[in-house]
Amino acid sequence: MPLLEARNIVKIYPNGTRANNDISFSVEKGEIHAIVGENGAGKSTLMKMLYGLETPTSGEIFLRDQPVHIDTPHKAIDLGIGMVHQNFMLVDSFTVAENIALGREPRTGAVVDRAKAIQDTKNLAETYGLYVDPTAKIEAIPVGMRQRVEILKALYRGAEILILDEPTAVLTPKETNDLFAAIRSLVNQGKTLIFITHKLREVMEISDRVTVMRDAQKVGTVNTRETSIPELARMMVGREVFMVVDKPPVQRGKSVLKVSNLSYANEAGRTLVHRASFSVYESEILGIAGVEGNGQTELIEVLTGLRNPTEGEAYVDGQSMLGQGPRKVREQRVTHIPEDRLTNGVARDGSIADNLIIDRYYREPFAKSGLLNLSEIEQNGHDMIKQFGILATGPAQPVGGLSGGNMQKVIVAREFSSSPRLLIAAQPTRGVDIGAIEFIHQQLVNKRTEGLAILLVSADLQEVMKLADRLMVMYNGEIVAILNNGPDLTEEKLGLYMLGAARQTPEEMGVLA
Ligand SMILES: Nc1ncnc2c1ncn2[C@@H]1O[C@H](COP(=O)(O)OP(=O)(O)OP(=O)(O)O)[C@@H](O)[C@H]1O
Ligand SMILES: [Mg+2]
């Protein structure tokens, strides 16, 4: 008898989108069940119905063979089903323990027993190997810990079945390993896990079974031991996926971005970027490698005008670009695919068409003598939807109603189409499906071949090694190596620099010129 079962589920959203079309799916107690499929295939929708955030248009859900009506998350929680979303839902100004106990605070009489909430959090964290700091505020903790808080919150409410929607998309490789260890410990203690991912390597590593979805339908469920990455990719996309980029050799051109002695310290006075010097040239991709949290994010935020440096300079085509805010940077034809698409990337209530021109609506061809050219804006929306394979009802659809990966495609489409000199791409393929990764990779390389200068940051070392012409390694806020990419540059060699076991001299880095 399956623990949880969905039978013949159909979900049609109010705007007419058929997101699930006759899906039957089941999970066994104690298994780790992966769900994969292209962006917009209907994965999150199916999970939202198991958690009561959406209700099926038709079809039924059974828990231990009993029909259940899960019409609110409250109901799901009462039934022992918990979910952690693609976008976290924590109260930033509350502490970890307060968030975990929220709505179910332990009390002595009428008074909330804070000490007990903290102790409960500690016990729970220890039981499952999910380390958190109970008294830290959410706004002050890194993303990996926020996720552990969400998981603990579900466990605190008695979750027996835990649904994780793309839990690893926001994690570093190390955090992913820690999460997998926690997942194994949860399963060993009798919990059941369902998780969505785009990373097939993870599916192979941790799951017992995999369900593949495509175009609102279930393609099939297979035992992980009996399948392979190419087979899963084929099931997902409906064709062979090669994941190779065609990268012709090209002579790099003039220097576009020149950074010299750039430092940044945070409010607490901690130096996070220390005297960074490097250049990015026309027709090259400079990849930043390094264990996340070694200054990459802060370096990018300074360069894109989101933070002010404490010393040093950066120039685009010889013009200073720092300390004047993001709009000024954009006007210098620097474009940015942000790491966190929901806070910096899109206006959720705005349409796809509007989001695509959010940085240039006041310029031709989208505006003429102060008036918006609406038909041009709409046409651009149509063109981009087609070119980037954005799954949507049309350019007027609000971005908030798109699947996670399709939101990312809107941002990538906008940034690629702004005719930039320099593209700063942070985690450009986070949350997008393998077909779209293939497309975005090829686009990045094509733009580079056409002359664009690209600064690429990715937590995925294989991605950087595949795309970059040169690799720059950051360790502890410093640039410790700048290396030409080629067959003799191995992960092992990079690893030595990434972990601080080796560093180049400034002469070797060639940054003195
Ligand atoms: N609230 C909504 N209103 C209308 N349409 C929606 C809504 N939420 C999702 N959709 C649509 O339903 C389809 C399935 O979306 P869903 O979020 O389930 O995809 P997904 O498989 O999780 O994709 P991703 O990998 O990009 O997260 C998409 O076409 C999406 O645009
Ligand atoms: Mg989703």
Side-chain angles (χ1 to χ4, degrees):
M1 167 178 81
L3 176 58
L4 182 66
E5 190 181 1
R7 281 189 210 156
N8 307 104
I9 298 282
V10 174
K11 175 64 185 181
I12 303 171
Y13 281 111
N15 69 357
T17 302
R18 189 179 278 263
N20 277 188
N21 195 0
D22 194 20
I23 293 195
S24 296
F25 155 81
S26 69
V27 265
E28 303 291 331
K29 181 169 161 52
E31 78 167 326
I32 304 176
H33 197 121
I35 314 267
V36 300
E38 289 182 291
N39 296 130
K43 305 178 296 293
S44 294
T45 299
L46 180 62
M47 294 305 120
K48 283 178 187 167
M49 287 185 283
L50 300 178
Y51 188 59
L53 283 168
E54 296 287 350
T55 44
T57 308
S58 65
E60 282 182 293
I61 297 168
F62 296 83
L63 187 66
R64 296 184 190 85
D65 268 348
Q66 298 300 309
V68 284
H69 293 277
I70 310 175
D71 45 11
T72 60
H74 196 91
K75 187 79 178 281
I77 291 161
D78 284 346
L79 292 169
I81 302 170
M83 178 162 173
V84 176
H85 298 272
Q86 236 164 326
N87 318 307
F88 300 152
M89 300 183 170
L90 298 168
V91 186
D92 276 358
S93 55
F94 284 17
T95 66
V96 167
E98 283 164 352
N99 267 280
I100 288 171
L102 192 67
R104 315 216 161 188
E105 293 85 355
R107 286 169 198 274
T108 345
V111 184
V112 172
D113 187 343
R114 284 168 183 273
K116 179 153 193 320
I118 292 170
Q119 195 53 50
D120 286 351
T121 298
K122 280 189 182 151
N123 294 345
L124 208 53
E126 207 157 290
T127 310
Y128 298 108
L130 291 156
Y131 167 74
V132 294
D133 175 357
T135 57
K137 290 237 167 82
I138 296 298
E139 61 202 6
I141 63 175
V143 71
M145 193 183 292
R146 287 184 203 201
Q147 180 176 67
R148 293 195 287 276
V149 174
E150 289 266 20
I151 295 173
L152 289 170
K153 189 173 165 183
L155 295 169
Y156 187 77
R157 283 159 180 68
E160 288 299 320
I161 302 171
L162 196 57
I163 303 169
L164 306 176
D165 193 347
E166 292 194 39
T168 61
V170 293
L171 299 184
T172 64
K174 158 101 174 53
E175 287 172 329
T176 299
N177 280 339
D178 293 348
L179 175 69
F180 284 179
I183 286 180
R184 290 196 181 98
S185 128
L186 284 163
V187 167
N188 284 338
Q189 298 182 60
K191 309 283 181 193
T192 302
L193 263 291
I194 308 177
F195 84 105
I196 301 178
T197 183
H198 288 292
K199 300 177 187 168
L200 298 179
R201 265 183 279 150
E202 294 179 352
V203 173
M204 298 308 292
E205 180 181 338
I206 189 141
S207 71
D208 299 303
R209 289 197 298 161
V210 201
T211 290
V212 183
M213 292 181 66
R214 183 166 83 225
D215 280 345
Q217 280 170 317
K218 187 174 98 168
V219 181
T221 298
V222 291
N223 292 325
T224 308
R225 251 182 285 112
E226 291 159 13
T227 187
S228 64
I229 290 180
E231 184 187 32
L232 289 173
R234 208 159 44 235
M235 286 171 80
M236 276 171 66
V237 186
R239 62 173 170 89
E240 288 300 329
V241 184
F242 298 107
M243 299 301 283
V244 287
V245 281
D246 176 22
K247 190 173 159 211
V250 57
Q251 193 67 41
R252 75 181 192 197
K254 293 193 300 216
S255 150
V256 175
L257 172 69
K258 184 165 172 50
V259 176
S260 68
N261 282 324
L262 190 69
S263 298
Y264 169 76
N266 67 5
E267 296 75 26
R270 228 186 109 208
T271 300
L272 299 173
V273 178
H274 185 66
R275 297 194 142 251
S277 295
F278 63 97
S279 297
V280 190
Y281 297 82
E282 286 172 345
S283 287
E284 83 156 351
I285 298 177
L286 177 67
I288 304 186
V291 177
E292 224 166 317
N294 277 282
Q296 300 93 325
T297 304
E298 291 77 14
L299 173 65
I300 298 302
E301 287 178 351
V302 171
L303 292 177
T304 51
L306 294 169
R307 295 175 189 271
N308 290 324
T310 39
E311 65 169 330
E313 250 304 347
Y315 308 88
V316 180
D317 289 328
Q319 290 213 326
S320 171
M321 66 186 289
L322 295 183
Q324 304 162 78
R327 178 149 172 180
K328 182 77 201 328
V329 173
R330 281 190 175 278
E331 282 169 0
Q332 289 174 285
R333 295 174 61 199
V334 177
T335 179
H336 177 209
I337 298 174
E339 186 169 348
D340 181 350
R341 61 181 167 250
L342 287 175
T343 43
N344 301 321
V346 291
R348 291 180 69 89
D349 297 331
S351 68
I352 295 174
D354 288 349
N355 267 284
L356 283 167
I357 56 149
I358 215 160
D359 58 334
R360 64 195 87 137
Y361 61 89
Y362 50 87
R363 292 202 305 256
E364 291 216 39
F366 304 114
K368 248 190 190 139
S369 15
L371 286 180
L372 288 180
N373 185 343
L374 296 178
S375 65
E376 190 64 43
I377 293 171
E378 190 188 329
Q379 188 54 49
N380 179 62
H382 279 296
D383 293 348
M384 292 293 128
I385 286 173
K386 184 146 177 255
Q387 203 180 324
F388 285 82
I390 298 166
L391 192 67
T393 54
Q397 184 174 2
V399 165
L402 295 179
S403 75
N406 280 293
M407 272 185 213
Q408 177 76 349
K409 289 189 199 171
V410 171
I411 296 172
V412 171
R414 176 180 70 212
E415 303 304 331
F416 274 7
S417 62
S418 67
S419 59
R421 286 281 290 151
L422 172 69
L423 168 65
I424 298 178
Q427 323 291 352
T429 56
R430 177 173 278 179
V432 305
D433 64 51
I434 49 174
I437 290 174
E438 203 179 30
F439 179 80
I440 291 172
H441 281 175
Q442 192 60 58
Q443 288 287 317
L444 282 166
V445 169
N446 292 353
K447 295 279 175 198
R448 154 268 197 192
T449 308
E450 288 162 18
L452 186 64
I454 299 176
L455 182 61
L456 170 72
V457 194
S458 169
D460 180 350
L461 192 55
Q462 297 191 355
E463 175 167 71
V464 200
M465 290 182 76
K466 185 158 156 185
L467 300 176
D469 297 292
R470 289 189 302 148
L471 281 119
M472 173 164 105
V473 185
M474 289 186 77
Y475 175 73
N476 209 2
E478 288 186 80
I479 296 172
V480 294
I482 299 178
L483 305 148
N484 287 322
N485 197 3
D488 48 334
L489 183 62
T490 58
E491 274 189 46
E492 289 68 38
K493 187 166 170 191
L494 271 173
L496 290 177
Y497 292 109
M498 287 169 65
L499 297 173
R503 69 182 297 156
Q504 289 179 325
T505 62
E507 292 78 16
E508 287 172 309
M509 281 187 238
V511 293
L512 294 179

